[in-house]
mmCIF file of all heavy atoms in Angstrom:
data_model
loop_
_atom_site.group_PDB
_atom_site.id
_atom_site.type_symbol
_atom_site.label_atom_id
_atom_site.label_comp_id
_atom_site.label_asym_id
_atom_site.label_seq_id
_atom_site.Cartn_x
_atom_site.Cartn_y
_atom_site.Cartn_z
ATOM 1 N N VAL A 1 127.552 -14.977 246.335
ATOM 2 C CA VAL A 1 126.590 -15.813 245.625
ATOM 3 C C VAL A 1 125.963 -16.825 246.578
ATOM 4 O O VAL A 1 126.582 -17.221 247.577
ATOM 5 C CB VAL A 1 127.285 -16.547 244.455
ATOM 6 C CG1 VAL A 1 128.240 -17.612 244.972
ATOM 7 C CG2 VAL A 1 126.277 -17.138 243.489
ATOM 8 N N SER A 2 124.741 -17.235 246.280
ATOM 9 C CA SER A 2 124.097 -18.314 247.019
ATOM 10 C C SER A 2 123.799 -19.452 246.059
ATOM 11 O O SER A 2 123.389 -19.226 244.907
ATOM 12 C CB SER A 2 122.795 -17.843 247.684
ATOM 13 O OG SER A 2 121.778 -17.657 246.710
ATOM 14 N N ALA A 3 124.003 -20.677 246.523
ATOM 15 C CA ALA A 3 123.680 -21.839 245.697
ATOM 16 C C ALA A 3 122.187 -21.907 245.423
ATOM 17 O O ALA A 3 121.760 -22.460 244.397
ATOM 18 C CB ALA A 3 124.153 -23.120 246.389
ATOM 19 N N ALA A 4 121.379 -21.346 246.322
ATOM 20 C CA ALA A 4 119.935 -21.313 246.091
ATOM 21 C C ALA A 4 119.616 -20.551 244.811
ATOM 22 O O ALA A 4 118.776 -20.982 244.001
ATOM 23 C CB ALA A 4 119.235 -20.675 247.284
ATOM 24 N N ALA A 5 120.290 -19.411 244.598
ATOM 25 C CA ALA A 5 120.069 -18.638 243.379
ATOM 26 C C ALA A 5 120.582 -19.383 242.157
ATOM 27 O O ALA A 5 119.940 -19.401 241.099
ATOM 28 C CB ALA A 5 120.746 -17.275 243.497
ATOM 29 N N LEU A 6 121.762 -20.015 242.270
ATOM 30 C CA LEU A 6 122.296 -20.803 241.157
ATOM 31 C C LEU A 6 121.348 -21.937 240.788
ATOM 32 O O LEU A 6 121.095 -22.190 239.606
ATOM 33 C CB LEU A 6 123.661 -21.386 241.526
ATOM 34 C CG LEU A 6 124.880 -20.469 241.451
ATOM 35 C CD1 LEU A 6 126.100 -21.219 241.964
ATOM 36 C CD2 LEU A 6 125.121 -19.966 240.041
ATOM 37 N N ALA A 7 120.826 -22.629 241.789
ATOM 38 C CA ALA A 7 119.922 -23.746 241.536
ATOM 39 C C ALA A 7 118.642 -23.278 240.863
ATOM 40 O O ALA A 7 118.158 -23.904 239.912
ATOM 41 C CB ALA A 7 119.602 -24.463 242.850
ATOM 42 N N ALA A 8 118.084 -22.172 241.343
ATOM 43 C CA ALA A 8 116.845 -21.657 240.760
ATOM 44 C C ALA A 8 117.056 -21.203 239.326
ATOM 45 O O ALA A 8 116.221 -21.456 238.446
ATOM 46 C CB ALA A 8 116.316 -20.504 241.616
ATOM 47 N N LEU A 9 118.185 -20.531 239.064
ATOM 48 C CA LEU A 9 118.491 -20.089 237.710
ATOM 49 C C LEU A 9 118.710 -21.282 236.789
ATOM 50 O O LEU A 9 118.207 -21.305 235.650
ATOM 51 C CB LEU A 9 119.729 -19.196 237.729
ATOM 52 C CG LEU A 9 120.216 -18.670 236.370
ATOM 53 C CD1 LEU A 9 119.128 -17.866 235.670
ATOM 54 C CD2 LEU A 9 121.482 -17.823 236.554
ATOM 55 N N ALA A 10 119.438 -22.279 237.257
ATOM 56 C CA ALA A 10 119.681 -23.471 236.443
ATOM 57 C C ALA A 10 118.378 -24.200 236.139
ATOM 58 O O ALA A 10 118.142 -24.631 234.994
ATOM 59 C CB ALA A 10 120.653 -24.404 237.161
ATOM 60 N N ALA A 11 117.519 -24.356 237.149
ATOM 61 C CA ALA A 11 116.241 -25.038 236.939
ATOM 62 C C ALA A 11 115.400 -24.301 235.907
ATOM 63 O O ALA A 11 114.749 -24.916 235.046
ATOM 64 C CB ALA A 11 115.492 -25.156 238.264
ATOM 65 N N GLU A 12 115.410 -22.987 235.970
ATOM 66 C CA GLU A 12 114.661 -22.161 235.016
ATOM 67 C C GLU A 12 115.196 -22.349 233.594
ATOM 68 O O GLU A 12 114.429 -22.522 232.637
ATOM 69 C CB GLU A 12 114.764 -20.695 235.438
ATOM 70 C CG GLU A 12 113.962 -19.726 234.603
ATOM 71 C CD GLU A 12 114.095 -18.307 235.125
ATOM 72 O OE1 GLU A 12 113.666 -18.060 236.273
ATOM 73 O OE2 GLU A 12 114.628 -17.450 234.389
ATOM 74 N N LYS A 13 116.515 -22.325 233.459
ATOM 75 C CA LYS A 13 117.119 -22.473 232.136
ATOM 76 C C LYS A 13 116.907 -23.888 231.580
ATOM 77 O O LYS A 13 116.612 -24.068 230.389
ATOM 78 C CB LYS A 13 118.617 -22.155 232.219
ATOM 79 C CG LYS A 13 118.931 -20.668 232.390
ATOM 80 C CD LYS A 13 120.429 -20.444 232.509
ATOM 81 C CE LYS A 13 120.772 -18.963 232.523
ATOM 82 N NZ LYS A 13 120.555 -18.343 231.199
ATOM 83 N N LEU A 14 117.060 -24.902 232.409
ATOM 84 C CA LEU A 14 116.867 -26.269 231.946
ATOM 85 C C LEU A 14 115.419 -26.514 231.532
ATOM 86 O O LEU A 14 115.157 -27.194 230.534
ATOM 87 C CB LEU A 14 117.282 -27.251 233.038
ATOM 88 C CG LEU A 14 118.788 -27.333 233.333
ATOM 89 C CD1 LEU A 14 119.051 -28.150 234.581
ATOM 90 C CD2 LEU A 14 119.544 -27.932 232.140
ATOM 91 N N ALA A 15 114.481 -25.965 232.293
ATOM 92 C CA ALA A 15 113.065 -26.120 231.959
ATOM 93 C C ALA A 15 112.734 -25.459 230.621
ATOM 94 O O ALA A 15 111.838 -25.904 229.897
ATOM 95 C CB ALA A 15 112.195 -25.535 233.068
ATOM 96 N N ALA A 16 113.491 -24.401 230.294
ATOM 97 C CA ALA A 16 113.275 -23.693 229.026
ATOM 98 C C ALA A 16 114.043 -24.333 227.873
ATOM 99 O O ALA A 16 113.990 -23.845 226.738
ATOM 100 C CB ALA A 16 113.688 -22.240 229.171
ATOM 101 N N GLY A 17 114.769 -25.418 228.164
ATOM 102 C CA GLY A 17 115.511 -26.111 227.133
ATOM 103 C C GLY A 17 116.842 -25.485 226.787
ATOM 104 O O GLY A 17 117.449 -25.813 225.762
ATOM 105 N N GLU A 18 117.329 -24.594 227.645
ATOM 106 C CA GLU A 18 118.617 -23.948 227.390
ATOM 107 C C GLU A 18 119.771 -24.880 227.765
ATOM 108 O O GLU A 18 119.674 -25.669 228.704
ATOM 109 C CB GLU A 18 118.735 -22.650 228.191
ATOM 110 C CG GLU A 18 117.764 -21.561 227.780
ATOM 111 C CD GLU A 18 118.007 -20.272 228.521
ATOM 112 O OE1 GLU A 18 119.185 -19.940 228.755
ATOM 113 O OE2 GLU A 18 117.024 -19.597 228.886
ATOM 114 N N GLU A 19 120.849 -24.765 227.021
ATOM 115 C CA GLU A 19 122.051 -25.535 227.332
ATOM 116 C C GLU A 19 122.923 -24.739 228.292
ATOM 117 O O GLU A 19 123.238 -23.572 228.037
ATOM 118 C CB GLU A 19 122.827 -25.841 226.056
ATOM 119 C CG GLU A 19 124.020 -26.752 226.272
ATOM 120 C CD GLU A 19 124.686 -27.157 224.972
ATOM 121 O OE1 GLU A 19 124.070 -26.957 223.903
ATOM 122 O OE2 GLU A 19 125.812 -27.676 225.037
ATOM 123 N N LEU A 20 123.320 -25.349 229.378
ATOM 124 C CA LEU A 20 124.149 -24.674 230.368
ATOM 125 C C LEU A 20 125.628 -24.878 230.046
ATOM 126 O O LEU A 20 126.009 -25.849 229.394
ATOM 127 C CB LEU A 20 123.835 -25.195 231.765
ATOM 128 C CG LEU A 20 122.395 -24.999 232.248
ATOM 129 C CD1 LEU A 20 122.255 -25.486 233.680
ATOM 130 C CD2 LEU A 20 121.967 -23.555 232.136
ATOM 131 N N PRO A 21 126.490 -23.972 230.520
ATOM 132 C CA PRO A 21 127.924 -24.105 230.240
ATOM 133 C C PRO A 21 128.507 -25.383 230.839
ATOM 134 O O PRO A 21 127.974 -25.949 231.800
ATOM 135 C CB PRO A 21 128.531 -22.868 230.924
ATOM 136 C CG PRO A 21 127.402 -21.911 231.073
ATOM 137 C CD PRO A 21 126.173 -22.744 231.264
ATOM 138 N N ALA A 22 129.605 -25.824 230.254
ATOM 139 C CA ALA A 22 130.334 -26.961 230.818
ATOM 140 C C ALA A 22 130.937 -26.558 232.161
ATOM 141 O O ALA A 22 131.221 -25.381 232.398
ATOM 142 C CB ALA A 22 131.437 -27.400 229.862
ATOM 143 N N PRO A 23 131.130 -27.515 233.062
ATOM 144 C CA PRO A 23 131.702 -27.207 234.388
ATOM 145 C C PRO A 23 133.206 -27.027 234.309
ATOM 146 O O PRO A 23 133.974 -27.816 234.853
ATOM 147 C CB PRO A 23 131.306 -28.425 235.228
ATOM 148 C CG PRO A 23 131.242 -29.550 234.239
ATOM 149 C CD PRO A 23 130.724 -28.944 232.962
ATOM 150 N N ARG A 24 133.627 -25.960 233.639
ATOM 151 C CA ARG A 24 135.047 -25.652 233.483
ATOM 152 C C ARG A 24 135.339 -24.295 234.110
ATOM 153 O O ARG A 24 134.569 -23.352 233.945
ATOM 154 C CB ARG A 24 135.440 -25.651 232.009
ATOM 155 C CG ARG A 24 135.238 -26.999 231.326
ATOM 156 C CD ARG A 24 136.184 -28.042 231.903
ATOM 157 N NE ARG A 24 135.948 -29.368 231.320
ATOM 158 C CZ ARG A 24 135.222 -30.314 231.884
ATOM 159 N NH1 ARG A 24 134.641 -30.091 233.062
ATOM 160 N NH2 ARG A 24 135.060 -31.481 231.300
ATOM 161 N N PRO A 25 136.440 -24.161 234.820
ATOM 162 C CA PRO A 25 136.671 -22.957 235.626
ATOM 163 C C PRO A 25 136.960 -21.702 234.808
ATOM 164 O O PRO A 25 137.626 -21.750 233.779
ATOM 165 C CB PRO A 25 137.896 -23.334 236.469
ATOM 166 C CG PRO A 25 138.605 -24.364 235.640
ATOM 167 C CD PRO A 25 137.521 -25.149 234.967
ATOM 168 N N LEU A 26 136.436 -20.600 235.296
ATOM 169 C CA LEU A 26 136.778 -19.274 234.779
ATOM 170 C C LEU A 26 137.782 -18.658 235.755
ATOM 171 O O LEU A 26 137.405 -17.998 236.715
ATOM 172 C CB LEU A 26 135.526 -18.391 234.698
ATOM 173 C CG LEU A 26 134.510 -18.698 233.606
ATOM 174 C CD1 LEU A 26 133.258 -17.861 233.806
ATOM 175 C CD2 LEU A 26 135.106 -18.416 232.230
ATOM 176 N N TYR A 27 139.061 -18.903 235.519
ATOM 177 C CA TYR A 27 140.076 -18.344 236.405
ATOM 178 C C TYR A 27 140.416 -16.900 236.037
ATOM 179 O O TYR A 27 140.668 -16.059 236.896
ATOM 180 C CB TYR A 27 141.360 -19.188 236.348
ATOM 181 C CG TYR A 27 141.234 -20.556 236.967
ATOM 182 C CD1 TYR A 27 141.645 -21.691 236.279
ATOM 183 C CD2 TYR A 27 140.711 -20.711 238.246
ATOM 184 C CE1 TYR A 27 141.541 -22.950 236.837
ATOM 185 C CE2 TYR A 27 140.602 -21.968 238.815
ATOM 186 C CZ TYR A 27 141.019 -23.089 238.105
ATOM 187 O OH TYR A 27 140.922 -24.334 238.667
ATOM 188 N N LEU A 28 140.466 -16.591 234.750
ATOM 189 C CA LEU A 28 140.762 -15.252 234.206
ATOM 190 C C LEU A 28 142.201 -14.787 234.428
ATOM 191 O O LEU A 28 142.638 -13.823 233.824
ATOM 192 C CB LEU A 28 139.800 -14.191 234.745
ATOM 193 C CG LEU A 28 138.308 -14.411 234.450
ATOM 194 C CD1 LEU A 28 137.526 -13.164 234.858
ATOM 195 C CD2 LEU A 28 138.062 -14.752 232.991
ATOM 196 N N ARG A 29 142.918 -15.443 235.310
ATOM 197 C CA ARG A 29 144.332 -15.126 235.469
ATOM 198 C C ARG A 29 145.034 -16.346 236.042
ATOM 199 O O ARG A 29 144.387 -17.279 236.521
ATOM 200 C CB ARG A 29 144.534 -13.904 236.380
ATOM 201 C CG ARG A 29 144.124 -14.094 237.814
ATOM 202 C CD ARG A 29 144.225 -12.782 238.576
ATOM 203 N NE ARG A 29 143.867 -12.953 239.973
ATOM 204 C CZ ARG A 29 143.437 -11.970 240.750
ATOM 205 N NH1 ARG A 29 143.332 -10.746 240.270
ATOM 206 N NH2 ARG A 29 143.139 -12.197 242.007
ATOM 207 N N ARG A 30 146.351 -16.322 235.994
ATOM 208 C CA ARG A 30 147.130 -17.457 236.443
ATOM 209 C C ARG A 30 147.095 -17.570 237.963
ATOM 210 O O ARG A 30 146.938 -16.567 238.666
ATOM 211 C CB ARG A 30 148.576 -17.324 235.968
ATOM 212 C CG ARG A 30 148.723 -17.301 234.446
ATOM 213 C CD ARG A 30 150.168 -17.170 234.033
ATOM 214 N NE ARG A 30 150.921 -18.349 234.405
ATOM 215 C CZ ARG A 30 150.978 -19.466 233.676
ATOM 216 N NH1 ARG A 30 150.299 -19.545 232.548
ATOM 217 N NH2 ARG A 30 151.693 -20.503 234.073
ATOM 218 N N PRO A 31 147.221 -18.787 238.508
ATOM 219 C CA PRO A 31 147.231 -18.950 239.965
ATOM 220 C C PRO A 31 148.431 -18.276 240.607
ATOM 221 O O PRO A 31 149.459 -18.045 239.962
ATOM 222 C CB PRO A 31 147.282 -20.473 240.160
ATOM 223 C CG PRO A 31 147.868 -20.992 238.894
ATOM 224 C CD PRO A 31 147.376 -20.071 237.802
ATOM 225 N N ASP A 32 148.307 -17.952 241.893
ATOM 226 C CA ASP A 32 149.409 -17.325 242.623
ATOM 227 C C ASP A 32 150.632 -18.233 242.689
ATOM 228 O O ASP A 32 151.767 -17.784 242.606
ATOM 229 C CB ASP A 32 148.969 -16.961 244.047
ATOM 230 C CG ASP A 32 147.936 -15.849 244.052
ATOM 231 O OD1 ASP A 32 147.959 -15.028 243.105
ATOM 232 O OD2 ASP A 32 147.128 -15.796 244.980
ATOM 233 N N ALA A 33 150.401 -19.528 242.873
ATOM 234 C CA ALA A 33 151.505 -20.478 242.972
ATOM 235 C C ALA A 33 152.131 -20.691 241.601
ATOM 236 O O ALA A 33 151.430 -20.957 240.625
ATOM 237 C CB ALA A 33 151.009 -21.809 243.528
ATOM 238 N N GLN A 34 153.420 -20.560 241.525
ATOM 239 C CA GLN A 34 154.139 -20.722 240.265
ATOM 240 C C GLN A 34 155.273 -21.722 240.441
ATOM 241 O O GLN A 34 155.840 -21.852 241.526
ATOM 242 C CB GLN A 34 154.720 -19.371 239.801
ATOM 243 C CG GLN A 34 153.680 -18.288 239.561
ATOM 244 C CD GLN A 34 152.820 -18.565 238.350
ATOM 245 O OE1 GLN A 34 153.272 -19.204 237.402
ATOM 246 N NE2 GLN A 34 151.588 -18.099 238.373
ATOM 247 N N VAL A 35 155.595 -22.426 239.359
ATOM 248 C CA VAL A 35 156.728 -23.341 239.385
ATOM 249 C C VAL A 35 158.004 -22.506 239.434
ATOM 250 O O VAL A 35 158.189 -21.591 238.625
ATOM 251 C CB VAL A 35 156.738 -24.230 238.133
ATOM 252 C CG1 VAL A 35 157.994 -25.111 238.128
ATOM 253 C CG2 VAL A 35 155.472 -25.075 238.081
ATOM 254 N N PRO A 36 158.885 -22.743 240.402
ATOM 255 C CA PRO A 36 160.114 -21.944 240.502
ATOM 256 C C PRO A 36 160.974 -22.076 239.251
ATOM 257 O O PRO A 36 161.021 -23.128 238.618
ATOM 258 C CB PRO A 36 160.825 -22.544 241.721
ATOM 259 C CG PRO A 36 159.769 -23.273 242.471
ATOM 260 C CD PRO A 36 158.780 -23.750 241.462
ATOM 261 N N LYS A 37 161.643 -21.016 238.917
ATOM 262 C CA LYS A 37 162.573 -21.036 237.797
ATOM 263 C C LYS A 37 163.989 -21.317 238.314
ATOM 264 O O LYS A 37 164.305 -21.080 239.468
ATOM 265 C CB LYS A 37 162.544 -19.696 237.062
ATOM 266 C CG LYS A 37 161.198 -19.372 236.423
ATOM 267 C CD LYS A 37 161.247 -18.020 235.729
ATOM 268 C CE LYS A 37 159.909 -17.691 235.095
ATOM 269 N NZ LYS A 37 159.921 -16.356 234.433
ATOM 270 N N ASN A 38 164.818 -21.793 237.415
ATOM 271 C CA ASN A 38 166.233 -22.021 237.731
ATOM 272 C C ASN A 38 166.423 -22.913 238.958
ATOM 273 O O ASN A 38 166.917 -22.496 240.001
ATOM 274 C CB ASN A 38 166.951 -20.683 237.965
ATOM 275 C CG ASN A 38 166.862 -19.775 236.739
ATOM 276 O OD1 ASN A 38 166.978 -20.244 235.607
ATOM 277 N ND2 ASN A 38 166.641 -18.485 236.989
ATOM 278 N N TYR A 39 165.911 -24.139 238.840
ATOM 279 C CA TYR A 39 166.052 -25.098 239.933
ATOM 280 C C TYR A 39 167.529 -25.233 240.332
ATOM 281 O O TYR A 39 168.424 -25.281 239.487
ATOM 282 C CB TYR A 39 165.550 -26.462 239.500
ATOM 283 C CG TYR A 39 164.060 -26.614 239.492
ATOM 284 C CD1 TYR A 39 163.364 -26.651 238.278
ATOM 285 C CD2 TYR A 39 163.352 -26.750 240.677
ATOM 286 C CE1 TYR A 39 161.988 -26.803 238.252
ATOM 287 C CE2 TYR A 39 161.967 -26.911 240.660
ATOM 288 C CZ TYR A 39 161.295 -26.932 239.456
ATOM 289 O OH TYR A 39 159.952 -27.095 239.429
ATOM 290 N N LYS A 40 167.752 -25.313 241.618
ATOM 291 C CA LYS A 40 169.098 -25.580 242.111
ATOM 292 C C LYS A 40 169.359 -27.085 242.035
ATOM 293 O O LYS A 40 168.576 -27.881 242.537
ATOM 294 C CB LYS A 40 169.244 -25.107 243.563
ATOM 295 C CG LYS A 40 170.638 -25.321 244.130
ATOM 296 C CD LYS A 40 170.703 -24.795 245.567
ATOM 297 C CE LYS A 40 172.094 -25.031 246.153
ATOM 298 N NZ LYS A 40 172.159 -24.540 247.559
ATOM 299 N N VAL A 41 170.427 -27.463 241.427
ATOM 300 C CA VAL A 41 170.755 -28.887 241.279
ATOM 301 C C VAL A 41 171.270 -29.428 242.611
ATOM 302 O O VAL A 41 172.218 -28.909 243.196
ATOM 303 C CB VAL A 41 171.819 -29.089 240.189
ATOM 304 C CG1 VAL A 41 172.207 -30.555 240.103
ATOM 305 C CG2 VAL A 41 171.310 -28.574 238.849
ATOM 306 N N VAL A 42 170.601 -30.470 243.114
ATOM 307 C CA VAL A 42 170.983 -31.044 244.408
ATOM 308 C C VAL A 42 171.412 -32.506 244.266
ATOM 309 O O VAL A 42 171.805 -33.123 245.244
ATOM 310 C CB VAL A 42 169.846 -30.930 245.431
ATOM 311 C CG1 VAL A 42 169.549 -29.478 245.748
ATOM 312 C CG2 VAL A 42 168.578 -31.633 244.911
ATOM 313 N N THR A 43 171.303 -33.065 243.062
ATOM 314 C CA THR A 43 171.702 -34.444 242.871
ATOM 315 C C THR A 43 173.195 -34.504 242.537
ATOM 316 O O THR A 43 173.743 -33.581 241.923
ATOM 317 C CB THR A 43 170.889 -35.087 241.731
ATOM 318 O OG1 THR A 43 171.027 -34.283 240.552
ATOM 319 C CG2 THR A 43 169.426 -35.170 242.100
ATOM 320 N N PRO A 44 173.871 -35.574 242.929
ATOM 321 C CA PRO A 44 175.309 -35.672 242.631
ATOM 322 C C PRO A 44 175.545 -35.826 241.146
ATOM 323 O O PRO A 44 174.754 -36.434 240.424
ATOM 324 C CB PRO A 44 175.736 -36.929 243.407
ATOM 325 C CG PRO A 44 174.477 -37.717 243.566
ATOM 326 C CD PRO A 44 173.376 -36.717 243.707
ATOM 327 N N LYS A 45 176.654 -35.284 240.680
ATOM 328 C CA LYS A 45 176.993 -35.395 239.279
ATOM 329 C C LYS A 45 177.602 -36.762 238.993
ATOM 330 O O LYS A 45 178.285 -37.344 239.809
ATOM 331 C CB LYS A 45 177.977 -34.282 238.899
ATOM 332 C CG LYS A 45 177.362 -32.891 239.006
ATOM 333 C CD LYS A 45 178.370 -31.830 238.575
ATOM 334 C CE LYS A 45 177.775 -30.441 238.658
ATOM 335 N NZ LYS A 45 178.744 -29.397 238.240
#
């Protein structure tokens, strides 16, 4: 993608009175980084 194309498309839509989507991410799947399960306890009892 080029930002030039995004800018031109946005300008066209705004000039036509169209509402653009909110700036919220389309991830479509979970991130690669995950919180580890079954933490090892390292603090003294």
Side-chain angles (χ1 to χ4, degrees):
V1 70
S2 73
L6 281 175
L9 178 58
E12 184 178 297
K13 287 178 174 289
L14 290 170
E18 294 185 38
E19 186 174 346
L20 299 184
R24 298 294 176 262
L26 287 172
Y27 291 130
L28 300 189
R29 66 186 182 203
R30 298 180 66 84
D32 292 332
Q34 300 290 331
V35 176
K37 297 179 180 179
N38 301 320
Y39 282 107
K40 182 179 179 181
V41 177
V42 295
T43 55
K45 295 182 179 180

